[in-house]
Amino acid sequence: ARIRNILNDFLGDFMDGSMTKDMTDEDIDKVIRMHEGDSLPGFPSPDTFEYLALPHLAKISIPAVECVHAVAAALDQLCQRMVQAVFRRFPKLAEVTLEMTQNIIQQHKDMTRVIVEQQVSCFTGYLFTNDPQYLTAHGSMEPMY
């Protein structure tokens, strides 16, 4: 229940207001005009949405890592209580078991932190382009001919 509460409270601070509360209609219109291009009439380009959403996506990088730390701490506390309850009569075994579980939690916490950081950077650092020169120099795309 504690972990569910941590995950439910994640980003609760960002749900209070609208994403566009700090933008005026003129700001949004300027962005729409800036990203006009090959799009369906009446529909703004996806670049417009990305440009408007990117500052808000960047705000979640620190809370995402904090959420990983909070879940790991909750798991650690849960393990300590379980080990004390199960191995009450065997203190040495309890100590060894607790050390093993804490090591496992730490390893998975580190791996999860890396995955979360990569996912956040994937969405905040995304750049759509069809420029073959850029893709060849900065991506894994090989020249076609």
Side-chain angles (χ1 to χ4, degrees):
R2 184 177 295 164
I3 294 173
R4 181 181 297 140
N5 287 338
I6 291 170
L7 295 175
N8 285 338
D9 292 341
F10 175 60
L11 300 181
D13 298 337
F14 297 99
M15 300 295 289
D16 294 340
S18 172
M19 189 174 104
T20 58
K21 69 181 177 191
D22 296 330
M23 295 180 214
T24 64
D25 289 343
E26 291 81 26
D27 294 336
I28 295 171
D29 187 48
K30 178 180 157 189
V31 171
I32 290 172
R33 280 187 274 119
M34 183 182 356
H35 290 95
E36 283 181 335
D38 296 333
S39 63
L40 295 172
F43 295 95
S45 77
D47 295 332
T48 304
F49 174 76
E50 288 176 29
Y51 188 85
L52 291 171
L54 188 62
H56 301 284
L57 287 174
K59 293 178 186 177
I60 68 167
S61 61
I62 293 173
V65 173
E66 288 174 351
C67 182
V68 171
H69 291 299
V71 168
L75 286 173
D76 192 42
Q77 288 177 350
L78 180 64
C79 287
Q80 288 178 8
R81 287 195 324 223
M82 288 176 65
V83 164
Q84 288 174 358
V86 172
F87 297 109
R88 184 177 308 142
R89 295 185 334 177
F90 309 103
K92 281 291 189 188
L93 186 58
E95 185 179 315
V96 171
T97 305
L98 184 60
E99 183 181 344
M100 287 176 60
T101 56
Q102 287 175 335
N103 288 340
I104 292 169
I105 289 171
Q106 183 63 38
Q107 288 173 351
H108 286 279
K109 173 184 154 186
D110 293 339
M111 290 188 298
T112 304
R113 182 186 49 78
V114 168
I115 292 169
V116 166
E117 287 174 348
Q118 289 173 346
Q119 285 296 307
V120 169
S121 68
C122 171
F123 286 102
T124 57
Y126 174 75
L127 172 67
F128 176 77
T129 182
N130 286 329
D131 181 17
Q133 184 178 10
Y134 181 86
L135 292 173
T136 303
H138 300 294
S140 60
M141 184 175 156
E142 297 287 327
M144 293 175 66
Y145 23 90

